[in-house]
């Protein structure tokens, strides 16, 4: 209220409390809402801070900081006691889920409920033991986390004295005390404020003996300090700077004095400071006459209360309105983008997917082999799921035909011969989401069927070692290249290192998305650590005893009966390019990333069995994300999709125990032989003998044999 001079015999008027909220409070509330509270709108205990007025022109505010809120673990943030600049007082926060709920809150009932707590604390004696509860406050809010806008309204409940207190005298303390008393009171106040045990105790009383010696005491000592010729004043930390009005905390203090000690005349000190020391010149001493209101001796009686903060809106014709603050403009754009990107994922955990593990996703390191149509889409889908560490490997350049189908490139990337795809893709990802940790690797993948001249062997071996190190340093590998043979070496290395591997491949109007099974020498034991279970098993912890390969899921090459060869030689342009219906890549890419998320959230991780839609042991009723298939094959010509399961093959040229063992024995020498000699892998795995057996096998049909229809088996 405005500074108004109060005359003797007039009603005592108080300057209302004012609030201030630090940005850190809203940031922490947002995090608490998204990560822990969800749709739970139960009241939250909070802590506010204030201190005595320390400036002749500005009142101190009740301030909310980040530590005013409880931690996300559920514990109330620890508040250091003895901080002279932070007198802690308890509060309650009602944060609604919608703006409509915020506007329809019953503010009268909420205020009365908090006033009741103050009234009960007075009668129980708690307010004497812990006087901070006399300044208990209330905050209602709505956090619009899409726009980073916060609507809020404070209330500082004050019990209404009826009849109201009458002012007898109010003047600066320097005019009320003698010079000796003023000096002693000032010294006593400074000692009280400098003691860690009393610095943040906001209500007290001052005992001045006949020798003008002042002592400050706790309220609980009131009864034992009654003495002849002693001056007794009730003191409180006054946040108000006005020279003619005491601050708001005095209201409930008078209610306590009136109710507990039946005093009808009260002398009080409005304690204020200047530069950290008691300022007797700006502090006020007053005397008020109070009458015990009717019904106050009845504990069941609850006095009326006032206290909603006076926020008057310019556009609301002076009506009291809530406050609104927007932090969007003041936030760092990168931080704002990160918060907005995670919003959808955190909202999933409110109702739809409480078990979603965002920590696993944000810490996951994904290697994308291929930055073309599939690679661009997969990278964006990974970011949408909260993956922040992405490496793209490709040796191609952006051509004029790419931007329409490959979503990370624009026309500018095609100019001057075309930007390297790995470089352009990373730059685009960082434009989309600045805090993504994206890396581009320009490198060709060595491939079987593409013989290497002797003068180029060292370069190819370096590429093989680089690819091995990249796969070893990542948790997940996506095979997104456009030729079959370019997937062979990564498939072998992933099987050897036991990495989660996802393949996506496109035909003209069909697609395949699949997850590779664990390596042939991996342990099939259930992993206890969920985070480790979700990620690939460390090579050093592998059980080399082997296991039944019939139970292991197959890789991309397990159904092949020939080794991968050069698929681009002697091909027309339409056969060399990936000619597909444009809608295939987004669908296949989305399924590939969804498959990964399913693996990460499955209890058995990479060892999870393949499930089909009609599987009797389908985990759809148990797993929060539904079934976890091995292969997903789709067809646009039929607008159909089916899930299949294929187990590993002992003759697989990429993941069989024979091939992985040979690689472990011979290393890069084995890789070179597989690249330069097309039939080597077939000979090694027994596919050559298998094909010979198949060609030599003859079926003898007896044309004269009569077969009844009843003997036929319907397939």
């Amino acid at each position: 209220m405005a500074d108004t001079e109060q005359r003797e015999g007039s009603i005592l008027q108080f300057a209302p409390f004012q609030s201030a909220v630090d940005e850190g409070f809203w940031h922490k509330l947002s995090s608490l809402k998204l990560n822990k509270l969800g749709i739970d709108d139960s009241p939250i205990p909070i802590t506010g801070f204030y201190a005595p007025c320390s400036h002749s022109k500005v009142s101190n505010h009740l301030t909310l900081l980040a530590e005013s809120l409880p931690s996300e673990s559920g514990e109330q943030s620890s508040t250091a006691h003895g901080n002279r600049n932070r007198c802690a007082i308890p509060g309650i926060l009602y944060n609604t889920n919608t703006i409509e709920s915020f506007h329809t809150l019953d503010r009268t009932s909420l205020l009365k409920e908090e006033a009741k707590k103050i009234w009960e604390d007075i009668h129980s004696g708690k307010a004497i033991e812990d006087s901070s509860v006399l300044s208990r406050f209330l905050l209602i809010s709505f956090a619009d986390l899409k726009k980073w806008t916060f609507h809020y309204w404070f209330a500082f409940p004050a019990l209404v004295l009826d009849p109201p207190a009458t002012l007898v005298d109010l003047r600066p303390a320097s005019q009320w005390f003698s010079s000796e008393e003023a000096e002693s009171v000032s010294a006593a106040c400074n000692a009280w404020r400098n003691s860690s045990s009393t610095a943040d105790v906001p209500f007290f009383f001052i005992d001045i003996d006949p020798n003008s010696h002042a002592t400050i005491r706790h309220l609980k000592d009131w009864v034992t300090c009654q003495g002849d010729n002693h001056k007794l004043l009730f003191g409180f930390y006054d946040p108000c700077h006005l020279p003619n009005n005491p601050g708001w905390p005095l209201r409930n203090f008078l209610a306590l004095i009136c109710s507990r000690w039946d005093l009808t005349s009260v002398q009080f000190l409005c304690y204020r400071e200047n530069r950290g020391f008691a300022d007797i010149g700006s502090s006020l001493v007053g005397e008020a006459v109070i009458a015990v209101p009717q019904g106050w001796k009845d504990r069941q009686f609850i006095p009326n209360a006032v206290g909603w903060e006076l926020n008057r809106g310019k556009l609301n014709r002076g009506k009291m309105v809530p406050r609104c603050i927007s932090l969007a403009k003041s936030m760092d754009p990168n931080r704002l983008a990160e918060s907005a990107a995670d919003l959808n994922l955190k909202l999933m955990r409110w109702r739809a997917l409480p078990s979603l593990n965002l920590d696993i996703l944000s810490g996951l390191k994904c290697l994308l082999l291929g930055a073309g149509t599939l690679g661009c889409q997969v990278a964006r889908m990974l970011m949408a799921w909260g993956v922040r560490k992405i490496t793209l490997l490709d040796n191609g350049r952006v051509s004029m035909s790419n931007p329409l189908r490959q979503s990370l490139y624009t026309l500018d990337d095609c100019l001057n011969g075309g930007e390297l795809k790995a470089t352009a893709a990373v730059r685009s990802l960082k434009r989309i989401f600045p805090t993504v940790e994206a890396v581009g690797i320009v490198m060709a993948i060595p491939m079987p069927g593409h013989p290497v001249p002797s003068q180029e062997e060292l370069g190819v071996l370096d590429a093989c070692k680089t690819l091995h190190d990249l796969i070893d340093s990542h948790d997940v590998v996506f095979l997104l290249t456009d030729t079959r043979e370019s997937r062979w070496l990564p498939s072998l290395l992933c099987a050897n290192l036991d990495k989660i591997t996802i393949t996506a491949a496109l035909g003209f109007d069909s697609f395949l998305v699949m997850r590779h099974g664990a390596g042939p020498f991996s342990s099939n034991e259930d992993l206890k650590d969920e985070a480790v279970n979700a990620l690939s098993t460390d090579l050093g912890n592998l059980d080399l005893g082997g296991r039944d390969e019939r139970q292991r899921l197959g890789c991309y090459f397990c159904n092949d009966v020939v080794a991968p060869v050069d698929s681009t030689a002697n091909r027309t342009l339409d056969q060399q390019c990936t000619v597909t219906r444009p809608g295939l890549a987004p669908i296949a890419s989305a399924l590939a990333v969804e498959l990964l998320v399913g693996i990460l959230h499955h209890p058995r991780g990479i060892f999870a069995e393949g499930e089909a839609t009609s599987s009797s042991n389908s985990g759809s009723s148990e797993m929060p994300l539904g079934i976890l298939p091995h292969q997903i094959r789709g067809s646009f010509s039929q607008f159909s999709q089916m899930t299949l399961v294929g187990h590993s093959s002992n003759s697989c040229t990429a993941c069989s125990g024979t091939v992985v063992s040979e690689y472990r024995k011979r290393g890069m020498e084995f890789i070179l032989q597989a690249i330069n000699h097309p039939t080597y892998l077939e000979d090694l795995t027994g596919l050559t003998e298998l094909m010979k057996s198949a060609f030599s096998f003859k079926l003898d049909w007896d044309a004269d044999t009569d077969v009844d229809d009843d003997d036929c088996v319907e397939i």
Side-chain angles (χ1 to χ4, degrees):
M1 65 178 295
D3 179 17
T4 57
E5 185 175 353
Q6 302 194 63
R7 299 179 180 178
E8 294 183 15
S10 64
I11 294 175
L12 181 59
Q13 296 180 315
F14 310 87
F17 236 141
Q18 295 176 310
S19 64
V21 185
D22 184 77
E23 284 189 12
F25 176 86
W26 298 123
H27 287 300
K28 187 169 182 180
L29 176 61
S30 302
S31 176
L32 197 64
K33 178 71 173 173
L34 286 172
N35 299 326
K36 183 176 186 294
L37 299 177
I39 59 174
D40 182 3
D41 57 0
S42 303
I44 305 169
I46 58 176
T47 304
F49 304 96
Y50 88 101
C53 176
S54 57
H55 196 284
S56 61
K57 300 294 184 182
V58 181
S59 295
N60 268 345
H61 294 61
L62 175 94
T63 303
L64 296 186
L65 307 171
E67 53 263 44
S68 297
L69 285 160
S71 66
E72 291 185 18
S73 63
E75 299 177 356
Q76 188 70 30
S77 297
S78 59
T79 302
H81 292 285
N83 188 333
R84 58 180 293 121
N85 297 316
R86 287 190 185 181
C87 176
I89 56 178
I92 198 79
L93 167 64
Y94 290 86
N95 186 59
T96 63
N97 287 315
T98 66
I99 187 65
E100 292 80 10
S101 299
F102 173 77
H103 286 302
T104 56
L105 281 173
D106 188 344
R107 294 190 296 112
T108 301
S109 296
L110 291 176
L111 183 68
K112 190 170 184 178
E113 181 65 26
E114 295 308 304
K116 180 182 178 182
K117 295 177 184 177
I118 297 173
W119 181 247
E120 291 174 346
D121 289 340
I122 289 175
H123 277 276
S124 67
K126 181 179 179 180
I128 295 177
E129 295 293 330
D130 178 12
S131 59
S132 66
V133 299
L134 291 174
S135 298
R136 186 187 298 274
F137 68 97
L138 165 69
L139 173 63
I140 61 174
S141 67
F142 166 66
D144 186 339
L145 301 183
K146 292 185 70 176
K147 299 179 180 178
W148 278 91
T149 301
F150 302 86
H151 303 260
Y152 66 101
W153 204 335
F154 277 88
F156 304 99
L159 303 175
V160 176
L161 291 171
D162 187 15
T166 302
L167 182 65
V168 175
D169 189 14
L170 183 67
R171 48 183 151 154
S174 58
Q175 298 178 18
W176 199 89
F177 294 121
S178 67
S179 59
E180 293 82 3
E181 290 173 340
E183 183 178 351
S184 182
V185 168
S186 180
C189 288
N190 287 330
W192 179 269
R193 290 282 287 153
N194 289 329
S195 170
S196 60
S197 62
T198 57
D200 56 355
V201 178
F203 297 94
F204 49 89
F205 72 90
I206 303 172
D207 181 357
I208 304 176
D209 65 19
N211 296 320
S212 300
H213 177 72
T215 304
I216 298 183
R217 302 184 185 277
H218 290 277
L219 295 181
K220 62 184 179 181
D221 298 329
W222 168 260
V223 176
T224 62
C225 290
Q226 308 299 312
D228 295 336
N229 300 320
H230 281 233
K231 292 181 181 179
L232 297 175
L233 293 88
F234 290 94
F236 71 99
Y237 295 166
D238 189 358
C240 175
H241 77 283
L242 300 178
N244 297 312
N245 299 90
W248 198 255
L250 180 58
R251 296 195 65 145
N252 288 334
F253 199 14
L254 291 178
L256 168 70
I257 295 168
C258 173
S259 176
R260 294 288 297 185
W261 296 309
D262 295 330
L263 298 181
T264 57
S265 179
V266 177
Q267 292 180 337
F268 55 86
L269 169 69
C270 306
Y271 175 76
R272 300 172 182 177
E273 294 182 336
N274 183 19
R275 298 182 180 179
F277 296 97
D279 187 355
I280 299 300
S282 63
S283 296
L284 303 178
V285 172
E287 182 177 356
V289 174
I290 52 178
V292 178
Q294 186 176 3
W296 274 42
K297 293 301 181 181
D298 181 4
R299 292 194 60 172
Q300 302 302 318
F301 173 80
I302 301 176
N304 292 327
V306 294
W308 284 102
E309 192 170 13
L310 302 176
N311 311 317
R312 300 194 182 277
K314 295 180 180 179
L315 301 179
N316 294 274
R317 299 181 181 179
K319 291 176 60 178
M320 292 175 58
V321 294
R323 292 184 180 181
C324 180
I325 182 173
S326 175
L327 301 186
K329 292 183 179 179
S330 64
M331 289 183 66
D332 174 67
N334 291 349
R335 183 178 178 184
L336 190 60
E338 190 166 3
S339 298
D342 290 340
L343 178 62
N344 182 59
L345 297 173
K346 292 182 177 180
L347 292 180
M348 286 184 188
R349 301 199 302 186
W350 285 17
R351 299 177 197 258
L353 195 58
S355 60
L356 179 62
N357 192 328
L358 297 181
D359 292 334
I360 285 182
L361 290 165
S362 63
L364 201 67
K365 296 179 181 179
C366 292
L367 175 62
L368 278 56
L369 302 182
T373 307
L374 289 168
C376 291
Q377 294 286 352
V378 167
R380 298 196 66 153
M381 290 293 172
L382 286 172
M383 290 199 303
W385 264 110
V387 175
R388 299 291 177 256
K389 299 173 183 177
I390 300 173
T391 301
L392 294 110
L393 184 148
D394 201 299
N395 73 326
R397 292 183 178 273
V398 184
S399 66
M400 287 291 183
S401 64
N402 291 156
L404 290 177
R405 296 178 297 111
Q406 301 178 11
S407 59
L408 294 180
Y409 309 126
T410 65
L411 180 63
D412 290 342
D413 298 320
C414 308
L415 304 179
N416 302 316
E419 184 84 29
L420 288 166
K421 284 188 174 182
T423 304
V426 167
R427 185 172 61 246
S428 180
L429 288 177
K430 291 185 176 180
R431 279 200 302 265
I432 295 168
F433 189 65
T435 60
V436 66
E437 299 177 36
V439 178
I441 305 293
V442 180
M443 192 188 84
I445 299 175
M447 297 176 284
H450 296 251
V452 180
S454 57
Q455 64 270 23
E456 297 179 10
E457 284 187 359
L458 289 179
V460 171
L461 291 177
D462 286 341
C464 292
K465 293 175 182 177
T466 299
L467 184 61
H468 175 277
D469 293 342
L470 282 171
I471 292 175
D472 190 30
S473 62
H474 287 75
D475 304 307
V476 179
V477 180
F478 284 88
L479 306 186
L480 310 170
T481 54
D482 53 6
T483 63
R484 179 170 166 269
E485 61 269 26
S486 61
R487 301 167 190 258
W488 175 79
L489 181 56
S491 295
L492 167 61
L493 296 177
C494 288
N496 177 57
L497 295 171
D498 237 16
K499 296 292 180 178
I500 296 176
T501 310
I502 308 289
T503 284
L506 305 177
F508 166 65
D509 59 2
S510 61
F511 65 83
L512 164 68
V513 175
M514 66 177 294
R515 58 186 173 102
H516 293 204
F521 303 118
S522 60
S523 170
N524 194 25
E525 297 178 0
D526 290 335
L527 301 180
K528 296 180 180 179
D529 189 326
E530 181 181 357
V532 175
N533 182 32
L535 303 178
S536 53
T537 309
D538 185 78
L539 182 60
N541 295 328
L542 293 181
D543 176 10
L544 299 181
R547 63 188 181 90
D548 187 352
E549 290 213 11
R550 290 175 298 174
Q551 301 303 313
R552 189 166 59 89
L553 294 180
C555 77
Y556 180 68
F557 294 92
C558 278
N559 290 334
D560 292 349
V561 292
V562 293
V565 294
D566 187 351
S567 61
T568 59
N570 195 28
R571 298 295 179 95
T572 60
L573 181 61
D574 65 315
Q575 294 173 319
Q576 294 178 30
C577 298
T578 307
V579 178
T580 67
R581 292 172 63 164
L584 280 180
I587 295 175
S589 301
L591 289 172
V593 176
E594 295 292 328
L595 196 57
L596 167 64
V597 177
I599 296 171
L600 296 177
H601 287 80
H602 195 284
R604 300 191 64 202
I606 193 174
F607 300 109
E609 296 180 4
E611 297 171 329
T613 306
S614 59
S615 174
S616 59
N617 64 339
S618 169
S620 58
S621 60
E622 301 176 5
M623 295 295 103
L625 289 169
I627 69 168
L628 185 60
H630 175 220
Q631 300 179 26
I632 307 166
R633 294 180 180 265
S635 169
F636 265 17
S637 62
Q638 300 294 325
F639 281 95
S640 64
Q641 184 174 295
M642 58 182 174
T643 55
L644 303 172
V645 178
H647 291 115
S648 61
S649 167
N650 291 327
S651 300
C652 178
T653 58
C655 78
S656 65
T658 303
V659 172
V660 174
S661 294
E662 196 69 12
Y663 168 69
R664 290 186 176 185
K665 291 177 184 177
R666 299 174 57 203
M668 293 303 151
E669 180 187 354
F670 164 76
I671 299 294
L672 276 179
Q673 188 170 358
I675 290 173
N676 290 327
H677 301 281
T679 63
Y680 170 65
L681 290 173
E682 295 176 359
D683 295 340
L684 176 67
T685 58
L687 285 177
T688 302
E689 292 299 320
L690 179 64
M691 293 299 293
K692 288 180 180 179
S693 299
F695 285 128
S696 64
F697 183 72
K698 294 182 179 180
L699 288 175
D700 293 327
W701 296 94
D702 188 352
D704 297 330
T705 303
D706 294 330
V707 180
D708 295 334
D709 289 343
D710 293 339
D711 295 330
C712 294
V713 178
E714 183 176 353
I715 299 177

